[in-house]
Amino acid sequence: MFLARKLNPEGYGLLNATLALASLFAVFAINIGAHQVILREISIRPRTTLGIFKIVFPVRMISLVIAILALIFYEFYKGESNYVLIGASILIVTATLLWDLAESIAFGHLVTKITTIIGITASLVWLIIVVLLPNHGLDVNLVIFLYACLFVLRGGVYLVLSYLKFVKGNKEPAKINLKAVLMMSMPFLLMRVVSALGEHVPILLLKGFSGAAEVGYYAVGNRFVMPIIMAITTGMKAVFPFMSRLYKENIDEFNIKSVQGFTFIFAFGSITAATLTIT
């Protein structure tokens, strides 16, 4: 919200349109070797983390290169000549992949505090940067590029820490092969593509038909409900490895916990949505 006040509506809209575009292409990069597949395998067999990493990391790098090439082709096809924004979009796609892979490894070992610590630290650094930015004459290209660089640094630090803490010492051979990883990832890729079409494409269409300023107004309103969405999404990610391990150990208790969990999410979501609508 501080940044929205410092940037004009068009600049803030351009920032959010860039994030939407990068997120759209990142869907492919991070779901070939899906988060849930990595997390599940590591949570069940934590001693095979290095073997799983050796399978997944090259796949992720190949999918990243394909996503970046597709992004560059799309930008040039529609006549985009702002190379700073293109570069920032590439950095954001890369950062998203690094963060997702690191989080998959850490969550697979049932450790969630690293995500919280690094996430909060990066947010505080970004807040300080935004506060120190001038109130007038702010270059939106500089702001977007700074955000992308911080995002890459955040993801890179998290991946290095995850590798040193969880990957390096767990050297047992993986019980899964590349084909199995790809096959299990396909349903998640399809679900995320469908989700992304509804989440990010409307923002890009709004920018194309009505301009970046309208995206800025939309993004400001969206910021009020974003913390709730993030809390639910992060909570479900954190619970997933525990549920995967519980499914293997006690399927009856797993069924009970699943019903309780979804009931809570449904009740919490309904109450929150009603409260926001009324107020």
Side-chain angles (χ1 to χ4, degrees), residues 180-257:
V181 169
L182 295 177
M183 292 298 293
M184 288 193 290
S185 297
M186 286 302 107
F188 295 106
L189 174 62
L190 293 175
M191 286 190 292
R192 286 299 298 136
V193 167
V194 173
S195 175
L197 291 176
E199 184 177 354
H200 304 303
V201 172
I203 296 175
L204 299 176
L205 291 176
L206 182 62
K207 177 178 179 289
F209 287 110
S210 301
E214 291 299 321
V215 176
Y217 293 124
Y218 170 83
V220 169
N222 197 39
R223 284 292 180 269
F224 289 104
V225 297
M226 187 59 68
I228 299 171
I229 297 172
M230 290 178 63
I232 294 174
T233 303
T234 304
M236 294 190 71
K237 281 185 178 180
V239 168
F240 186 83
F242 296 94
M243 297 300 289
S244 295
R245 185 169 294 183
L246 182 62
Y247 178 83
K248 183 181 180 182
E249 295 173 353
N250 190 332
I251 192 169
D252 292 329
E253 188 176 353
F254 168 82
N255 292 332
I256 295 172
K257 295 293 185 182

Side-chain angles (χ1 to χ4, degrees), residues 69-197:
L69 291 175
L71 172 61
I72 294 173
F73 175 80
Y74 170 81
E75 290 285 50
F76 280 103
Y77 178 78
K78 70 184 184 69
E80 179 62 64
S81 57
N82 191 329
Y83 299 115
V84 175
L85 291 185
I86 295 175
S89 298
I90 292 171
L91 289 178
I92 293 170
V93 174
T94 303
T96 304
L97 182 143
L98 295 176
W99 179 268
D100 182 83
L101 180 56
E103 187 179 68
S104 302
I105 295 168
F107 279 20
H109 284 267
L110 310 182
V111 177
T112 59
K113 63 182 179 181
I114 300 178
T115 296
T116 304
I117 293 171
I118 296 178
I120 291 176
T121 301
S123 297
L124 289 175
V125 171
W126 178 240
L127 178 60
I128 293 170
I129 292 173
V130 171
V131 170
L132 294 177
L133 290 172
N135 292 322
H136 304 287
L138 190 58
D139 184 1
V140 65
N141 289 335
L142 175 62
V143 172
I144 295 173
F145 191 75
L146 285 175
Y147 179 87
C149 290
L150 178 61
F151 209 32
V152 170
L153 180 62
R154 182 189 75 154
V157 168
Y158 194 1
L159 184 58
V160 170
L161 288 177
S162 292
Y163 183 85
L164 294 177
K165 187 174 179 63
F166 305 116
V167 178
K168 194 174 180 181
N170 294 300
K171 301 180 179 180
E172 291 184 9
K175 305 298 182 181
I176 190 172
N177 56 31
L178 175 59
K179 181 179 179 181
V181 169
L182 295 177
M183 292 298 293
M184 288 193 290
S185 297
M186 286 302 107
F188 295 106
L189 174 62
L190 293 175
M191 286 190 292
R192 286 299 298 136
V193 167
V194 173
S195 175
L197 291 176

